[in-house]
Amino acid sequence: MPSKIKGYAGKFLRVDMSEGKLSDEVFDEATLRKYLGGTGIGCKIMYEEVPPDADWSDPVNRVTIGSGPLGGTAVGGSGTISIVTKGALTGGSTSVQANGLFGAYLRFSGYDGIIVQGASESWKYLVIRDGGAELKDADEIMGLDTYEVGDYLRESYGVRGRSASVLSIGPAGEKLVRWAGVFVDHGHSASHNGSGAVLGSKKLKAIMAFRSTGSPELADPEGLKEVAQRIYEDVEYFRGTIGGVETAQKSGSGSLPIKNYTTNLWDVDAEKVDTFGERYLRDTYQFEREPCWGCRLLHCAMFRIEDGPYAGVVEEPEYEQMAAWGPVVDVKDVEATMMLSALTDRLGLENNEAGWLTGWVIECLEKGYLSKEETGIDVRWGDVDAIVELLKMISERRGFGDVLAEGVKRASEKVGGEAAKAAIYTMKGNTPRGHDHRTRWAEMFDTCVSNTSTIETHMSAMGPGAQGPENPMEVSTEVARTKGLMQLEDSVGTCRFNTRMNNVYISEAVAAATGWDFTAEEGKRVGLRAVNLMRAYNLRVGIGAEYDRPSTRYGSTPVDGPTVGISILPHWDAMLRNYYGLMGWDTETGIPLPETLEELGLGHVVKDMEKL
Ligand code: SF4
C-alpha cells in the first residue's frame, strides 16, 4: 500500500530487470524527511545497495530516477527528475538531472521514483500509468534515436499532445558508449558520467510515463501556490541560455572555450557572432514553445532550420551545446552548430564530453599527435561533415570511434605522448561544463572537487568574488558555502532556472506540500547529506583527494586573452585544504570527519570511513 504522507505519491517502483519483476517500495516518513526524494533517496540507495567494488555495468548497480515532494505541483518547472547511479566514466557516484514533464507524470501515475536494478537478457521498455507499470519488449524501438523513440511510442499508444512523457537512451547508450546519456522529451538531458550507458547495461531502452489522473495530496495547496508565485516573481528576466556564446564573446571575459583551450580569443566575424545571439535565434528559427511542467519562463522552444544542408527540427540548444559545437570546434555557421547539438542529443551522447573529445581529436590531427591512418577520418577545425561522421562512429563504436567511446580521458591515455596532455577532463574521468574554466575558477574548482566530477554547486549562488583570479581562497570558501543547495533542489523535483538553489523558498514549498515544519537549514542539511554520502561512496571506491584535480590541459595557463599567464594551480593545495576544512572533512585526505557524519545523521557511514 502506498504511504499516506502528504506531498508524496507514496511509493517508489522497483524494477528488477534480471527477473522481469516489478514491485512497490514504500519509505517511512522519517526516511522521506531525511532524504526527501530525487538525489537524496538516490544517494541512499546507491550507498546502501551498490558495492563499491562492483563495476558500473554490473547488474548490482542501481539507477534511481526520482522526482520529489514538489514534483508536479504549482512550482514552475516541477517536472524535473534526478538520476543517481554508479557512473560509467568515474566508477563513482553520479547525480544528474533533467527537466521536462517526466517527473510530474511519474507522480501523477502514483510513483515518486523508480529504482532499476539487475540486467535483462533482452531489451525492454517500461510503461507507467495510473498506479501500475509494465515491462514490454523493445524490439521495435531499438536503434531509434532519442527524438524518434518518444515520437514512436507516443504515436503507438495514440497519445495526444503532451499526454505522455518519454525518457530514453539513444543508439550510443545501446552500444554502451561510456559517456552516453539519458534524454527526456526531445533534448532534456541527464547525461554526465554515463547515466545512459548504465541504463544500456541493464537493457532498458525507454520509460514512458502517462499523464495519468492522480495527484499527490498536499498539506497546504493554497500555501504552496503562494510560495510558487513568489518563486516565479523572484526570477529575474530569463530567456534561456541559448545566446551565451554571443554574450561571452562580446564580453571579452575569456570565458568562451575556444579550439580545445588552445586560445582564449575566437577569430570570428562580428556578423557571425550576432547570429549566435538569443534574439536572432528566436526570431529566425523558433516556431513552437515546449515548456516543462508548469513553467512560465521563456525557455525550451522548438526551432526549425527550414532549408539548406542542416535543415531540420532542433529542441532549443543550451549555451553548453552552442559552445561545444561553435567555438570549441571552431564552427562559425550557427545552423551547423544547432544541427550538431540536435544530432548529439539524438544519438544519446553527452554534449560536453562530445565537444571536448572532438576538439581534442582535431587538435591531435592538426599537430600530428594522431594520424589519419590511426583515426580513419580526417577532422579539421570547422569541418562539419567530418564531425557528423565522427559522432556516428562513436555512437556505433565503429573503427576509432570505439576508442573515443571510452571518453576523452581513457582515449588520450591510450594514445599517450603529447596527445595525453591535450585532453580536457577531471582526474576522476568526467569532463567539465562548457566554459573555459581557466577564467571561471569557482567552476573549475567545483568541477574537480565534486563527487560527480561535474558542477555540484553554481556561481549564481555565490558572492561576486567567486570567479577569481584575485582571491583564490574566497573561491574555495564560496564553493564550500554553497554545497548542498543544488542537491536539495535535485531532491525536490524542480528546475534550477526556477527555484535557483534557493533553500529558503524550496524549504517553504516543501513545508506547504508536506505539512512538516521544514526550515531552510533542514533543507540544506538534506543536500549536504547527499554530498557526504557521495563523497564517502567515492572514497570507498578509491576515488580520494588525489583525484580532486584537473587534467594537464584543463588546468593549463591561458596563452592569450584577459587572464594570459595566470594559473589557478599554485593555489590549488591551499584551496583544497580550506575547502575540506569548511566541509568538515580531514584537511589532508578529504575524508568526512566522524562528527560531520554524525551531525548529518549518517553515523552508519563512520565505520566505513574508519576502514579506509
Ligand atoms: S526554465 Fe526551461 S528547463 Fe526549466 S522548467 Fe522552464 S522550460 Fe524547463
Side-chain angles (χ1 to χ4, degrees):
M1 282 287 289
S3 71
K4 297 284 187 200
I5 300 161
K6 292 210 171 58
Y8 284 90
K11 61 185 180 188
F12 273 60
L13 176 68
R14 193 175 279 264
V15 181
D16 187 329
M17 296 296 294
S18 298
E19 303 291 329
K21 192 174 145 213
L22 309 178
S23 56
D24 291 344
E25 185 135 340
V26 176
F27 293 104
D28 62 30
E29 187 161 6
T31 301
L32 291 174
R33 185 158 179 167
K34 187 171 177 179
Y35 297 102
L36 288 178
T39 293
I41 291 284
C43 288
K44 168 185 157 57
I45 298 287
M46 180 187 65
Y47 195 87
E48 293 175 1
E49 300 187 17
V50 184
D53 59 355
D55 189 70
W56 63 271
S57 61
D58 191 301
V60 78
N61 197 4
R62 305 293 199 251
V63 182
T64 302
I65 302 167
S67 176
L70 303 185
T73 66
V75 178
S78 54
T80 301
I81 50 156
S82 162
I83 298 180
V84 177
T85 190
K86 181 181 174 81
L89 280 174
T90 69
S93 50
T94 257
S95 164
V96 285
Q97 58 84 255
N99 304 308
L101 301 168
F102 193 88
Y105 289 7
L106 189 61
R107 301 243 299 160
F108 301 154
S109 296
Y111 296 99
D112 294 302
I114 307 165
I115 304 161
V116 185
Q117 64 188 58
S120 174
E121 294 277 325
S122 59
W123 285 93
K124 304 286 182 194
Y125 71 95
L126 179 68
V127 179
I128 298 176
R129 174 163 32 186
D130 285 326
E134 190 180 3
L135 273 174
K136 314 269 279 186
D137 287 336
D139 292 350
E140 59 196 324
I141 56 172
M142 297 313 297
L144 296 186
D145 72 36
T146 60
Y147 280 29
E148 290 168 341
V149 173
D151 293 343
Y152 181 91
L153 288 178
R154 273 184 277 267
E155 191 176 332
S156 302
Y157 283 83
V159 170
R160 289 173 182 273
R162 287 152 51 95
S163 301
S165 173
V166 177
L167 168 160
S168 76
I169 59 172
E174 292 178 31
K175 291 286 185 188
L176 305 189
V177 171
R178 202 183 270 264
W179 43 283
V182 171
F183 293 78
V184 183
D185 298 336
H186 291 147
H188 294 283
S189 70
S191 297
H192 272 263
N193 209 354
S195 55
V198 182
L199 268 195
S201 74
K202 299 188 175 306
K203 287 196 163 58
L204 184 58
K205 171 74 176 172
I207 307 176
M208 183 178 197
F210 279 81
R211 169 71 177 78
S212 298
T213 53
S215 190
E217 187 184 352
L218 303 172
D220 179 5
E222 290 309 311
L224 184 55
K225 274 189 202 157
E226 188 271 324
V227 182
Q229 182 62 21
R230 273 191 283 135
I231 290 171
Y232 170 66
E233 289 172 2
D234 203 42
V235 173
E236 295 159 29
Y237 185 65
F238 181 70
R239 298 179 64 92
T241 65
I242 189 172
V245 167
E246 181 211 28
T247 49
Q249 172 72 358
K250 289 182 176 174
S251 75
S253 64
S255 64
L256 210 56
I258 302 161
K259 296 172 79 171
N260 198 38
Y261 275 30
T262 54
T263 175
N264 285 73
L265 302 171
W266 196 22
D267 182 15
V268 56
D269 294 341
E271 309 86 70
K272 290 282 186 193
V273 176
D274 289 341
T275 66
F276 281 81
E278 186 260 340
R279 291 273 180 193
Y280 175 85
L281 291 165
R282 288 200 194 285
D283 290 348
T284 311
Y285 303 107
Q286 181 174 321
F287 69 95
E288 181 177 70
R289 291 203 59 215
E290 197 168 285
C292 310
W293 178 258
C295 183
R296 290 183 275 168
L297 306 182
L298 184 58
H299 189 217
C300 289
M302 297 305 290
F303 290 60
R304 182 183 289 117
I305 302 168
E306 292 287 353
D307 46 33
Y310 312 123
V313 170
V314 181
E315 200 262 355
E316 180 174 335
E318 299 297 333
Y319 159 78
E320 309 274 337
Q321 295 162 294
M322 300 299 283
W325 301 121
V328 169
V329 294
D330 203 26
V331 168
K332 293 161 182 163
D333 179 339
V334 78
E335 293 189 356
T337 296
M338 287 197 290
M339 178 276 292
L340 288 167
S341 164
L343 178 66
T344 311
D345 285 355
R346 281 175 171 273
L347 293 174
L349 293 165
E350 194 279 304
N351 181 86
N352 293 127
E353 181 90 25
W356 303 130
L357 190 54
T358 304
W360 172 75
V361 170
I362 295 172
E363 183 185 341
C364 287
L365 284 164
E366 179 184 54
K367 293 181 174 170
Y369 305 157
L370 274 170
S371 67
K372 189 185 163 202
E373 287 64 43
E374 289 172 283
T375 60
I377 183 172
D378 193 19
V379 196
R380 299 288 158 170
W381 299 116
D383 185 346
V384 178
D385 291 345
I387 293 171
V388 168
E389 178 59 16
L390 190 73
L391 292 175
K392 289 180 178 170
M393 287 169 63
I394 294 167
S395 66
E396 295 165 14
R397 280 190 174 271
R398 174 162 44 90
F400 193 65
D402 192 44
V403 175
L404 302 178
E406 292 296 296
V408 72
K409 178 175 190 282
R410 287 176 175 81
S412 63
E413 287 171 346
K414 181 168 181 154
V415 174
E418 290 301 311
K421 297 180 196 158
I424 294 170
Y425 57 87
T426 71
M427 294 313 291
K428 294 189 186 82
N430 207 338
T431 40
R433 297 298 188 99
H435 284 98
D436 189 325
H437 287 171
R438 296 173 304 174
T439 66
R440 290 164 70 102
W441 284 15
E443 283 184 49
M444 177 177 285
F445 187 71
D446 179 38
T447 299
C448 291
V449 300
S450 82
N451 300 297
T452 61
S453 202
T454 181
I455 56 168
E456 207 171 62
T457 178
H458 198 272
M459 281 173 51
S460 60
M462 300 180 197
Q467 186 133 325
E470 298 85 3
N471 38 14
M473 299 313 281
E474 187 178 340
V475 171
S476 163
T477 297
E478 284 293 284
V479 170
R481 185 184 66 78
T482 55
K483 277 288 155 111
L485 299 177
M486 188 177 273
Q487 292 67 39
L488 165 64
E489 190 165 61
D490 292 345
S491 299
V492 299
T494 59
C495 159
R496 205 152 345 279
F497 298 129
N498 280 273
T499 42
R500 307 214 156 206
M501 293 169 46
N502 184 325
N503 60 322
V504 176
Y505 281 154
I506 292 171
S507 299
E508 274 188 62
V510 169
T514 60
W516 300 332
D517 176 20
F518 196 85
T519 64
E521 188 193 343
E522 184 173 355
K524 189 170 183 202
R525 282 159 50 80
V526 171
L528 283 172
R529 211 167 273 134
V531 171
N532 277 273
L533 273 181
M534 288 193 281
R535 179 80 186 177
Y537 187 79
N538 277 356
L539 288 161
R540 292 172 70 203
V541 168
I543 304 171
E546 66 275 29
Y547 291 93
D548 288 340
R549 294 182 180 278
S551 71
T552 302
R553 174 60 62 82
Y554 185 30
S556 62
T557 306
V559 296
D560 53 24
T563 57
V564 59
I566 301 174
S567 171
I568 192 174
L569 289 186
H571 311 286
W572 197 270
D573 288 342
M575 290 170 73
L576 261 190
R577 282 193 294 275
N578 178 58
Y579 173 75
Y580 290 163
L582 291 169
M583 291 298 293
W585 301 346
D586 181 278
T587 54
E588 294 301 323
T589 64
I591 297 173
L593 297 172
E595 53 268 35
T596 304
L597 296 169
E598 296 282 4
E599 205 272 329
L600 289 170
L602 299 174
H604 60 291
V605 177
V606 173
K607 64 180 185 317
D608 293 333
M609 297 298 94
E610 287 170 350
K611 289 183 202 154
L612 294 172

